[in-house]
Amino acid sequence: MLSRPRRNRKSAAVRSMMQETQLGVNNLIYPLFMVDGKNIKTEIKSMPGNFRWSTDLLLKEIESCIKLGIHSFILFPAVEDGLKDKTATYSYSKKNFYLKAIREIKSRFPEITLISDVAMDPYSSDGHDGLVKNDKIINDETLPILAKMAIAQAEAGIDMVGPSDMMDGRVGYLREALDEKGFTETSIMSYTAKYASAFYGPFRDALDSAPKKGDKKTYQMDPANKKEALREALLDEAEGADFLMVKPALHYLDIIHVLKEQSQLPIAAYHVSGECAMLVAACKNGWLDYKKAMPEALLSIRRAGADAILTYFAKDYAKLIHENK
Ligand code: PBG
């Protein structure tokens, strides 16, 4: 036998020498949920190990993550129902606790990367990412609202805005609006290929942001489609995105691969709440070994071509790397 692939697997040293994919803590982005108030840390039922944090406690949490080597965070606000309205006015209000928190976090930890969520759903009484009129999600009237939100976040010091709304033309619209206000350094991580997925359930529990009526299928993509992701990617590139994102991640590895091959931009992948919940539930039942299955899931997303992975497992992965050192 001339060729024996097993020779390259014969020892840990040989295996590690020829390992094709590396996943570092530097590749991870940690999503964090925030609430208004003080001294609050409530666990999210469908996302064990994830909490809604008030800013004072969140600062401590971020500090402990930094010690583990995590430098990038994406922030989501859980907004009281009483502050939600049709046009998401609280999203850019001076009183918005999320904007105040961004200011505080950036002044404490200027070196980290903070990413925002730009979409109406956390602030909308309709629970949709865009403006609702006669049961329709109105694209062009949503854009100025998103721009106000993005500018308010940029003013607060966000490093990257993350439009997750899937409205047409929003990347270009936001780029122009940010530039006009002098925020040429604020990056755009675009949710380029965001699918109308069933795997966002736990996240919507966390923010209480499920649509009040209908679904998101007129703006989020059909899980059956791949070419359409490329179409979205080319548009986002042309409109000035700095990062392209695929979401969900694990069930969409082929989409990550296509975008990585076809685009010059870095690719992010969002390992979403439902994908994490499945794995955590199986581990809690003793059916899977968390310390083995969790890093394998993350590695597969990286192998598919993701430069950055947004994952609720970021902190656990970082701890694991430290344990194994
Ligand atoms: C909404 C948004 C969603 C997620 C991130 N931003 C949910 C949705 O589109 O309904 C989901 C993330 C997750 O499930 O982890 N703008």
Side-chain angles (χ1 to χ4, degrees):
M1 232 187 278
L2 274 179
S3 198
R4 287 180 181 271
R6 287 188 55 193
R7 276 198 288 264
N8 286 349
R9 300 177 201 139
K10 68 182 162 196
S11 69
V14 170
R15 287 194 296 274
S16 82
M17 190 201 313
M18 51 158 292
Q19 197 170 56
E20 294 174 43
T21 308
Q22 268 85 35
L23 176 64
V25 178
N26 58 310
N27 299 116
L28 303 181
I29 300 171
Y30 194 23
L32 295 168
F33 297 103
M34 300 153 59
V35 280
D36 199 5
K38 276 213 167 79
N39 205 25
I40 302 171
K41 177 185 178 186
T42 7
E43 189 161 43
I44 300 156
K45 260 209 187 120
S46 46
M47 303 176 73
N50 288 272
F51 303 86
R52 293 194 201 88
W53 302 91
S54 57
T55 309
D56 51 343
L57 299 189
L58 186 68
L59 287 166
K60 291 185 186 140
E61 174 64 6
I62 290 178
E63 189 171 21
S64 83
C65 291
I66 294 173
K67 285 195 183 126
L68 288 165
I70 301 170
H71 300 297
S72 302
F73 303 86
I74 184 159
L75 306 173
F76 296 99
V79 177
E80 272 173 51
D81 268 344
L83 295 169
K84 299 183 184 182
D85 59 21
K86 293 283 297 177
T87 53
T89 46
Y90 184 68
S91 66
Y92 49 86
S93 154
K94 290 255 178 306
K95 293 187 194 137
N96 185 341
F97 78 90
Y98 179 72
L99 299 173
K100 288 187 208 158
I102 291 171
R103 274 202 176 85
E104 249 183 280
I105 300 166
K106 276 311 280 190
S107 75
R108 269 284 292 282
F109 309 110
E111 72 283 7
I112 63 176
T113 302
L114 281 191
I115 307 164
S116 70
D117 187 43
V118 177
M120 287 175 64
D121 57 328
Y123 307 99
S124 151
S125 44
D126 292 307
H128 273 287
D129 296 19
L131 185 66
V132 180
K133 274 191 183 168
N134 302 322
D135 291 344
K136 288 215 157 96
I137 319 305
I138 310 293
N139 194 88
D140 296 13
E141 287 176 48
T142 299
L143 301 180
I145 299 172
L146 299 176
K148 278 189 201 165
M149 200 183 302
I151 288 165
Q153 293 166 353
E155 279 167 351
I158 206 80
D159 299 287
M160 295 189 182
V161 294
S164 68
D165 55 287
M166 289 301 277
M167 295 302 118
D168 289 338
R170 93 277 205 203
V171 171
Y173 197 94
L174 292 183
R175 184 69 276 157
E176 234 173 74
L178 287 167
D179 286 358
E180 223 168 75
K181 295 277 181 192
F183 295 113
T184 53
E185 294 283 290
T186 309
S187 322
I188 299 180
M189 177 182 277
S190 175
Y191 288 61
T192 296
K194 178 173 178 180
Y195 287 86
S197 169
F199 291 95
Y200 307 149
F203 177 96
R204 291 180 190 170
D205 290 345
L207 296 194
D208 191 19
S209 66
K212 295 286 181 290
K213 213 173 163 192
D215 53 40
K216 298 192 173 187
K217 289 182 185 165
T218 67
Y219 47 106
Q220 298 182 350
M221 286 174 48
D222 184 339
N225 295 352
K226 178 145 80 175
K227 266 195 191 159
E228 198 183 352
L230 190 53
R231 183 180 185 203
E232 287 282 4
L234 296 175
L235 281 170
D236 281 359
E237 264 195 23
E239 290 177 32
D242 301 287
F243 243 102
L244 303 181
M245 191 202 294
V246 175
K247 175 182 172 185
L250 268 187
H251 294 78
Y252 295 81
L253 296 177
D254 56 331
I255 311 297
I256 298 172
H257 178 75
V258 166
L259 294 205
K260 184 64 186 170
E261 299 262 292
Q262 302 284 332
S263 172
Q264 303 302 318
L265 290 177
I267 306 298
Y270 201 140
H271 182 217
V272 299
S273 57
E275 295 178 319
C276 293
M278 287 166 68
L279 195 142
V280 168
C283 295
K284 282 213 158 34
N285 272 300
W287 298 334
L288 289 176
D289 178 344
Y290 183 68
K291 289 192 173 177
K292 293 192 174 128
M294 181 269 284
E296 183 178 333
L298 295 182
L299 188 70
S300 71
I301 300 170
R302 176 106 173 109
R303 190 192 61 238
D307 299 288
I309 304 173
L310 299 89
T311 177
Y312 303 98
F313 294 155
K315 195 172 181 191
D316 283 350
Y317 184 82
K319 281 186 196 158
L320 205 60
I321 298 272
H322 282 268
E323 275 172 30
N324 294 342
K325 255 183 198 162

